Amino acid sequence: MPTFVAGRYFSNQLEKLIIFSAPSGSGKTTVVKHLLEVMSNQLAFSVSATTRSPRPGELDGREYHFLSLDDFNQNVADNQFLEHEEVYAGILYGTLWSEVKKIWAEGKAVVFDVDVKGGLNLKRKFGDQALAVFLRPPSVDVLMERLTKRSTEVEHQLQERIAKANYELSFESQYDTVVVNDILEETFATCEKLVSDFIQN
Ligand code: ADP
Ligand code: 5GP
């Protein structure tokens, strides 16, 4: 069973976590997907639970465990989440302990794509076992452009995500490291190096 003392988790130092947080549209999904492809023997993705609907192409159990609000709340009541947040109004997201334990049992480090508060909660719980990376867009204008082009949100959701971006950007100094996602190939190389240095030490 996991051991928490004063809210911090103590375990085998080989059990590592890599957290990516950033405003929506910064490129987390793109970067995490790349790392999972090129470092598939060392990393695996923690599939979160959410109450939002799947986007076209998303599969239950792959991008997310898509849950009803009742099922999500039942998991909260059963202490199944390491952390959970209402990231957008009425839309809940949470990290499942079962995902993390499964990945560690495979001898891999766990990669998370979580919001800024969830990321910092995980960092607080796991301390040096976790590398918390803040992925920043070159500017809010570029972020808006990327989100608009992605075309996955209806207008009011898009506005909500853009409105939240400045708030989220204010958290970057609390992260272990900040990577500006401008030229994608450079971001990939920087993140690959950060992650391999972290899991080798
Ligand atoms: P997030 O997961 O943070 O919401 P995504 O990975 O979905 O962000 O990226 C948002 C959009 O921006 C996607 O359409 C993606 O292809 C694009 N994108 C990501 N990184 C870059 C980059 N460095 N340059 C240009 N477009 C990018
Ligand atoms: P999206 O709906 O675009 O997939 O994700 C929206 C936001 O929710 C992103 O910032 C993403 O990182 C965050 N998110 C995804 N899973 C989790 C989770 O388990 N916990 C928290 N706190 N945030 C999450």
Side-chain angles (χ1 to χ4, degrees):
M1 276 304 283
T3 313
F4 280 100
V5 178
R8 279 282 308 279
Y9 175 77
F10 288 88
S11 78
N12 181 341
Q13 281 300 313
L14 295 173
E15 295 174 339
K16 296 209 168 166
L17 307 91
I18 297 142
I19 303 158
F20 281 90
S21 296
S24 185
S26 302
K28 292 180 302 288
T29 309
T30 309
V31 170
V32 165
K33 214 172 143 211
H34 171 80
L35 291 173
L36 292 166
E37 276 166 18
V38 298
M39 300 176 77
S40 59
N41 292 333
Q42 294 147 290
L43 306 178
F45 183 58
S46 165
V47 180
S48 293
T50 182
T51 62
R52 85 152 161 74
S53 309
R55 292 177 184 143
E58 288 185 333
L59 279 185
D60 188 34
R62 189 177 66 185
E63 279 78 13
Y64 284 105
H65 299 287
F66 294 99
L67 302 185
S68 66
L69 184 57
D70 281 352
D71 286 348
F72 194 100
N73 285 332
Q74 190 58 52
N75 277 295
V76 175
D78 294 343
N79 289 318
Q80 297 297 313
F81 288 119
L82 255 176
E83 62 77 36
H84 59 92
E85 294 288 336
E86 183 175 0
V87 179
Y88 299 106
I91 307 185
L92 308 178
Y93 294 80
T95 302
L96 292 157
W97 244 128
S98 54
E99 287 288 316
V100 175
K101 285 192 274 190
K102 181 184 75 187
I103 294 168
W104 280 343
E106 292 167 5
K108 295 181 178 180
V110 190
V111 180
F112 300 86
D113 170 342
V114 292
D115 86 316
V116 288
K117 282 195 184 162
L120 291 176
N121 278 334
L122 289 171
K123 178 69 191 175
R124 267 191 287 276
K125 281 198 167 86
F126 292 96
D128 290 345
Q129 266 176 268
L131 172 71
V133 183
F134 193 94
L135 199 63
R136 185 155 64 76
S139 68
V140 175
D141 282 351
V142 170
L143 181 78
M144 283 165 59
E145 195 185 306
R146 287 184 189 165
L147 260 185
T148 311
K149 267 201 202 144
R150 192 176 70 184
S151 312
T152 47
E153 272 69 38
V154 296
E155 186 57 27
H156 77 274
Q157 291 167 332
L158 182 66
Q159 290 313 324
E160 188 181 11
R161 284 172 185 240
I162 291 168
K164 204 173 171 191
N166 278 318
Y167 165 76
E168 292 167 317
L169 286 167
S170 71
F171 285 79
E172 74 168 53
S173 63
Q174 297 179 57
Y175 276 70
D176 293 324
T177 182
V178 177
V179 176
V180 179
N181 179 22
D182 188 359
I183 311 292
L184 193 53
E185 291 306 320
E186 288 177 11
T187 305
F188 284 167
T190 306
C191 292
E192 279 173 48
K193 177 154 179 21
L194 271 173
V195 170
S196 39
D197 286 352
F198 177 71
I199 55 182
Q200 273 155 33
N201 288 318

